[in-house]
Amino acid sequence: MNLLELDRVGKSYHRGGWFGKGERVPAVVEVTLTIPESSSIGLIGRSGAGKSTLGRIILGLEQPDSGTIRYRGKKMQTFTGGDWREFRREVQVVFQNALGSVNPRWPAMDIIAEPLRNFDDLTDSQLRRKIDFLLAMVGLEPSDADKYPHQFSGGQLQRICIARALALQPRLVILDEAVSSLDMLIQAQALRLLRRLQQQTGIAYLFVSHDIRIVAGFCDQVAVMHQGRITSTATDLSEAKEADDPILRQLARAVLPAWPEGWTHAENP
Ligand SMILES: Nc1ncnc2c1ncn2[C@@H]1O[C@H](COP(=O)(O)OP(=O)(O)OP(=O)(O)O)[C@@H](O)[C@H]1O
Ligand SMILES: [Mg+2]
């Protein structure tokens, strides 16, 4: 079954100008995308291509101007309060900026516990056990529960955000550059964890990244976004693991900035 279906979704923003006279700049243009259950869909593209905007639209944090989005067959535009509550439980997100997505005055314990407190009726000891389990799952210690965000490294804090996103056993997690700031070892560990969870629980991922190698290694399908549009998709990535693979090279071209007008590749180091 398809978890999420986007049909010609569009969104533009006002840019500059006084009293709404500024032009409208399209950020997402006619995007049609399907996320099946238990899939890993990669989304790559240059900076400003519209990837995060698309992520925020899927999460319901922003309203699209056009098109429809269905979550488990139901149009999100017609969601009731109860539907939204279920959606908020089942669809989670990890942003790149871990520090900006946690309350700096809360210890890790409360950061991870927040969704559990909102949705589950756990006793204190059940909550504590669950938090220890989640901390261990992302490679942290039970004693880390009492530390505050500033006492963690960027990578550790990112793992706390991953633990928080996984706390409610979601159906879909949007990972917006979520592993980009982790060092290679921790990154590989986090990816293995995400993969294992997928095998165990059938979770789906929308994996936004600049790192083509990671996307190719992790995702079943990759969509390339350019100026708000999905310009191409690649589905068979199983063979595309070598750096000189043509699919990887094509994906690399899609995320690298264009050379300035009149330059040739030879002039660049
Ligand atoms: N709240 C906003 N108001 C106005 N313009 C916005 C807003 N959010 C995004 N944009 C514009 O929409 C376009 C797409 O931005 P978006 O953040 O989705 O890109 P991105 O692909 O995630 O880039 P990056 O790889 O740098 O994270 C950009 O031109 C950006 O300036
Ligand atoms: Mg972004």
Side-chain angles (χ1 to χ4, degrees):
M1 185 174 118
N2 286 332
L3 215 45
L4 201 77
E5 291 167 333
L6 279 75
D7 185 25
R8 284 166 296 151
V9 169
K11 170 89 190 168
S12 58
Y13 293 109
H14 275 292
R15 180 161 62 194
W18 294 95
F19 306 108
K21 276 193 285 184
E23 50 175 336
R24 289 192 77 82
V25 186
V28 171
V29 185
E30 301 227 326
V31 166
T32 296
L33 180 73
T34 301
I35 304 181
E37 252 171 330
S38 204
S39 64
S40 300
I41 308 294
L43 188 61
I44 63 168
R46 289 174 194 156
S47 183
K51 306 179 298 294
S52 296
T53 305
L54 189 63
R56 288 197 303 273
I57 291 173
I58 291 172
L59 288 162
L61 300 176
E62 296 210 37
Q63 285 294 317
D65 306 327
S66 56
T68 54
I69 307 177
R70 287 174 194 277
Y71 178 70
R72 298 177 69 194
K74 187 159 188 182
K75 257 192 192 174
M76 283 175 66
Q77 284 95 331
T78 65
F79 268 14
T80 62
D83 292 331
W84 275 115
R85 187 168 163 81
E86 204 174 321
F87 180 85
R88 294 262 167 264
R89 179 182 183 116
E90 293 181 358
V91 181
Q92 298 291 326
V93 61
V94 184
F95 293 109
Q96 177 173 24
N97 174 14
L99 203 55
S101 46
V102 297
N103 187 329
R105 286 183 294 275
W106 285 3
M109 154 99 192
D110 288 335
I111 293 170
I112 299 173
E114 192 187 16
L116 294 164
R117 289 192 173 119
N118 284 340
F119 286 97
D120 285 344
D121 203 11
L122 302 177
T123 64
D124 282 352
S125 68
Q126 284 171 326
L127 189 64
R128 183 67 215 211
R129 269 206 304 281
K130 188 127 195 191
I131 285 165
D132 287 349
F133 171 79
L134 287 162
L135 283 169
M137 197 166 77
V138 294
L140 296 170
E141 301 293 325
S143 58
D144 288 324
D146 301 318
K147 291 190 193 159
Y148 287 83
H150 71 272
Q151 294 172 302
F152 290 107
S153 73
Q156 288 170 330
L157 199 57
Q158 191 65 314
R159 283 185 276 159
I160 285 169
C161 292
I162 294 174
R164 174 177 62 182
L166 299 175
L168 295 168
Q169 292 177 299
R171 284 175 184 263
L172 171 66
V173 180
I174 299 183
L175 299 156
D176 191 346
E177 304 277 7
V179 299
S180 310
S181 65
L182 305 180
D183 71 48
M184 271 177 65
L185 215 66
I186 303 289
Q187 194 176 65
Q189 186 190 332
L191 291 173
R192 273 200 304 277
L193 162 75
L194 294 172
R195 170 79 73 205
R196 199 175 66 233
L197 278 173
Q198 186 169 56
Q199 285 156 357
Q200 286 167 357
T201 67
I203 192 171
Y205 301 112
L206 179 65
F207 196 96
V208 178
S209 179
H210 281 95
D211 194 324
I212 302 133
R213 295 267 265 165
I214 291 184
V215 170
F218 187 79
C219 298
D220 326 309
Q221 190 183 326
V222 177
V224 177
M225 213 169 167
H226 182 64
Q227 295 182 349
R229 294 177 187 273
I230 288 186
T231 52
S232 66
T233 52
T235 40
D236 188 15
L237 295 166
S238 50
E239 305 294 314
K241 300 285 191 288
E242 300 301 322
D244 60 350
D245 183 274
I247 298 178
L248 284 194
R249 264 188 280 131
Q250 184 204 333
L251 293 176
R253 270 200 300 278
V255 291
L256 291 173
W259 298 116
E261 198 90 13
W263 282 32
T264 67
H265 286 57
E267 284 164 338
N268 289 281

